[in-house]
Amino acid sequence: MTYLPKPKLHHPELPTNQLGFTRRDYEGAVSTLCAGCGHDSISAAIVHACFELSLPPHRIAKLSGIGCSSKTPTYFLGNSHGFNSVHGRMPSVVTGANLANRDLIYLGVSGDGDSASIGIGQFAHCMRRGVNMVYIVENNGVYGLTKGQFSATADKGAKNRRGVPNNDEPIDMIGMALQLGATFVARGFSGDKVQLVPLIKAALVHRGVAFIDCISPCVAFNNHEGSTKSFDYVREHNETVNFLDVITGREEITADYAPGTVEIVRQHDGSLLKLRKLSDDYDPTDRVAAMHFLQTHSARGEIVTGLLFVDPEADDMHGYLNTAEKPFNDMNDSELCPGSAALEKLNASLR
Ligand SMILES: Cc1ncc(C[n+]2csc(CCOP(=O)(O)OP(=O)(O)O)c2C)c(N)n1
Ligand code: SF4
Ligand SMILES: [Mg+2]
C-alpha cells in the first residue's frame, strides 16, 4: 500500500467555509514522510489557504514531479485532480493541461532537485511563458528521496551530515524567476505558517505564473550545523520584507488604506494584496529593485522572505497566445475539428 487513507469522521462542529466545507475536506491521505519534515508543514499551509479561499476542490489540479516534495500532493486536496509526472517534467504537463483547460486552478509542487537540476529547462520555460499556475518549490538543498546528496540550490560552503562542504555555486530560483519574467515571486519558510498561508493565498488569486520558493528543511539529511537550509539557520538569517493579507473580490472590501508602511496592491480580479512593509523603501512592484535587494541580502548570507515581486496587471499564456476561451472538453466535434476549409485557410496563411 503506497498511502494511508484518513478516517472520514470528524468533529461535527468544525468551522466551515463559504462552500460549507471544513478543513478536513481539503486534506489528503496520511503523510508517510519523516516526522518533522518541512514538506508536511507546506501541505498543511496549502490545505489552510484553499479552505480559507473557499476554493471548490474539484476545480483544482495538483501536479508534481519526483521526490519527497513531489509525493506531497497525495497528502493534501484529496478531492482534487492530481497527476504525478516524471522527474522534472511537471511544468510541461501543467502547460499542456492548462492549454487544454484554462478553467482549472493549477498547483504545481516540486523540489529543488526536481526543478533546479533535471527540470531546470522546464522551470525556465514555464516562468517565461507565464503559465497561469502556482509553482511551489519545496527547497531543502538536498535530494531527500535519494538519501541527501547536495542539490543545485545548496549554498557554496554548506556542509553535509558528514561535514563535507559543497563546492558549487548555488542556483537561486527566486533570482531566476525574476529574471525570466515571473509575475509573482515570493519566498516562504515551512516553519513560518503565519507568513506562508497568505503567500499561497495571494499566489492562488494571481493571474499569471506565481512562483514560491519555500525553504523546507529535510530533517533526515539537511538539518545539522553547517547547513544553510536547517530550521536554526533559516530562523537566524531570515530577513522578512513584508507581511501579507489577502482580501478577495468575493469579500466585502473593508481594508484601511493607511499610508506609511502599508501598501495595497489591487489585482485584475479585484482582489487586494495588503502588504505591511518592514522597510519603507521596499516596492514589491519594481522587478529590478527586487533583483538588487535579493542580491545584496544574499551576499550577506541573509534569506529574504515575503512577497518580493508582483505585477498586478499581469497577463498569462492564454492572453499572449490569444487562445479560445472554452476548454477542449466543452467543445463539440465541429469546434474541435472545423473541417478542411479551415485547415486550408490556416495552411495558406503560413505559406
Ligand atoms: C530520470 C530520473 N533521474 C533520477 C531519479 C532519482 N531521483 C528521484 S528523486 C530525486 C531527487 C529529488 O530531489 P528533490 O526534488 O529536491 O526532492 P526532495 O526529495 O528533496 O523533496 C532523484 C535524483 C529519478 N527518479 N528519475
Ligand atoms: S528524507 Fe528529508 S525530505 Fe524526505 S521525507 Fe525525510 S525529512 Fe522530508
Ligand atoms: Mg530537495
Side-chain angles (χ1 to χ4, degrees):
M1 186 169 205
T2 53
Y3 71 95
L4 302 170
K6 273 190 192 153
K8 292 246 184 283
L9 280 176
H10 59 70
H11 195 283
E13 279 164 30
L14 278 184
T16 52
N17 62 16
Q18 287 168 355
L19 298 177
F21 291 132
T22 69
R23 282 257 295 280
R24 295 287 318 269
D25 295 314
Y26 293 84
E27 291 179 352
V30 175
S31 171
T32 57
L33 302 186
C34 307
C37 175
H39 299 349
D40 279 335
S41 309
I42 303 174
S43 297
I46 292 171
V47 167
H48 201 116
C50 294
F51 166 76
E52 284 195 349
L53 285 177
S54 295
L55 299 181
H58 69 279
R59 284 204 52 232
I60 307 173
K62 43 176 186 160
L63 295 97
S64 63
I66 300 286
C68 298
S69 33
S70 293
K71 281 171 70 179
T72 63
T74 305
Y75 314 134
F76 58 79
L77 297 174
N79 295 312
S80 300
H81 306 278
F83 192 94
N84 188 217
S85 78
V86 280
H87 202 14
R89 269 54 172 185
M90 174 274 285
S92 54
V93 179
V94 179
T95 306
N98 195 309
L99 277 168
N101 185 349
R102 59 160 82 185
D103 278 357
L104 296 177
I105 299 160
Y106 290 95
L107 173 58
V109 173
S110 179
D112 42 316
D114 199 58
S115 278
S117 290
I118 193 167
I120 193 160
Q122 300 242 333
F123 164 78
H125 293 289
C126 187
M127 294 296 121
R128 59 184 277 278
R129 283 184 179 136
V131 181
N132 188 12
M133 69 178 294
V134 179
Y135 192 131
I136 299 179
V137 165
E138 304 192 343
N139 187 354
N140 52 19
V142 289
Y143 299 165
L145 190 71
T146 54
K147 301 276 177 276
Q149 303 86 346
F150 282 125
S151 80
T153 66
D155 288 308
K156 191 169 184 172
K159 294 191 175 125
N160 71 11
R161 272 204 311 181
R162 276 171 281 131
V164 181
N166 173 40
N167 296 320
D168 300 329
E169 287 292 338
I171 289 174
D172 185 343
M173 304 209 70
I174 288 278
M176 278 190 76
L178 282 169
Q179 199 264 325
L180 289 162
T183 48
F184 178 108
V185 181
R187 183 179 278 137
F189 170 41
S190 65
D192 187 351
K193 205 172 158 196
V194 173
Q195 182 196 48
L196 184 57
V197 172
L199 285 178
I200 296 173
K201 284 169 71 177
L204 283 163
V205 297
H206 178 74
R207 179 160 101 200
V209 65
F211 176 66
I212 303 178
D213 177 40
C214 191
I215 309 293
S216 177
C218 168
V219 290
F221 300 110
N222 206 10
N223 195 33
H224 46 267
E225 215 181 312
S227 157
T228 58
K229 299 271 192 291
S230 65
F231 280 110
D232 286 348
Y233 187 92
V234 180
R235 284 202 180 104
E236 278 160 30
H237 296 81
N238 185 353
E239 177 77 19
T240 307
V241 283
N242 46 37
F243 294 108
L244 186 63
D245 268 343
V246 182
I247 301 148
T248 63
R250 291 189 294 275
E251 292 166 33
E252 189 194 355
I253 292 171
T254 54
D256 61 300
Y257 287 81
T261 58
V262 176
E263 177 162 349
I264 307 280
V265 178
R266 182 184 289 272
Q267 301 204 100
H268 265 306
D269 63 344
S271 60
L272 299 182
L273 308 183
K274 188 178 165 203
L275 286 147
R276 188 153 59 79
K277 299 199 286 180
L278 294 187
S279 152
D280 272 351
D281 55 3
Y282 191 80
D283 175 4
T285 60
D286 184 338
R287 188 184 292 274
V288 177
M291 287 162 129
H292 181 253
F293 188 89
L294 188 73
Q295 294 285 338
T296 313
H297 285 266
S298 97
R300 292 187 207 143
E302 289 164 0
I303 300 162
V304 181
T305 60
L307 178 60
L308 296 163
F309 175 72
V310 63
D311 174 358
E313 294 302 317
D315 207 344
D316 77 330
M317 179 176 62
H318 288 282
Y320 306 142
L321 296 177
N322 193 23
T323 55
E325 291 278 338
K326 242 192 212 181
F328 286 176
N329 60 357
D330 281 349
M331 290 186 183
N332 58 33
D333 285 355
S334 63
E335 286 171 308
L336 282 171
C337 184
S340 49
L343 181 63
E344 192 45 50
K345 195 172 158 202
L346 178 69
N347 283 341
S349 74
L350 299 171
R351 277 190 197 111

